[in-house]
Amino acid sequence: MQVVFQITSEELSAKKAMLGQINNLLDYCHTNDKRVVVEVAVHGKAYGLLLQQENPLLEPVNTLAARSVRWLICHNTMKSHHLKETDLPEYATIIPSAVAHLIERQLEGWAYIKC
């Protein structure tokens, strides 16, 4: 399985819900001996999810990164919020456009989850 999650919300509850969904998916796949690739496209007002400072969810994000979840952040979002690469954890990957990435993944047959 291959799944890409999209998050644009700055709401803490939306971010927590998504993190729970990803953990549940990983646990299901582990229990059922299924291989899964998970990416999270972070853009819009959700950018705080990947900040190293003042981020109450950094620990669970780090834990998911350690479980091989790929964390992606939109370059356009970084530019509009004046973010630098040094504001992000090392595992975060900057992508040119989250929307374009989501379209490409769907065309490649990836499952898409909007949070």
Side-chain angles (χ1 to χ4, degrees):
M1 289 190 289
Q2 297 173 308
V3 60
V4 60
F5 286 77
Q6 175 191 24
I7 186 149
T8 60
S9 176
E10 68 183 326
E11 295 298 320
L12 187 61
S13 60
K15 293 173 185 175
K16 285 182 176 181
M18 183 193 68
L19 296 173
Q21 292 168 7
I22 294 170
N23 271 309
N24 291 342
L25 173 63
L26 294 175
D27 291 346
Y28 169 84
C29 289
H30 177 75
T31 300
N32 293 286
D33 201 26
K34 294 182 181 283
R35 186 176 174 281
V36 66
V37 177
V38 178
E39 291 183 344
V40 180
V42 177
H43 63 118
K45 293 181 180 181
Y47 70 90
L49 189 59
L50 288 179
L51 294 180
Q52 294 196 92
Q53 302 295 321
E54 299 179 27
N55 179 359
L57 298 175
L58 186 59
E59 184 177 329
V61 170
N62 287 342
T63 299
L64 287 172
R67 293 182 78 184
S68 299
V69 172
R70 299 177 189 162
W71 291 94
L72 314 174
I73 187 163
C74 178
H75 178 263
N76 296 323
T77 295
M78 290 185 65
K79 187 176 171 183
S80 67
H81 293 282
H82 311 289
L83 301 175
K84 301 179 295 268
E85 192 170 343
T86 55
D87 295 327
L88 307 171
E90 289 183 13
Y91 54 76
T93 300
I94 300 167
I95 55 175
S97 166
V99 171
H101 183 80
L102 292 165
I103 293 167
E104 289 173 345
R105 286 299 195 226
Q106 289 178 78
L107 290 172
E108 293 167 352
W110 286 53
Y112 163 75
I113 309 292
K114 170 126 171 86
C115 297

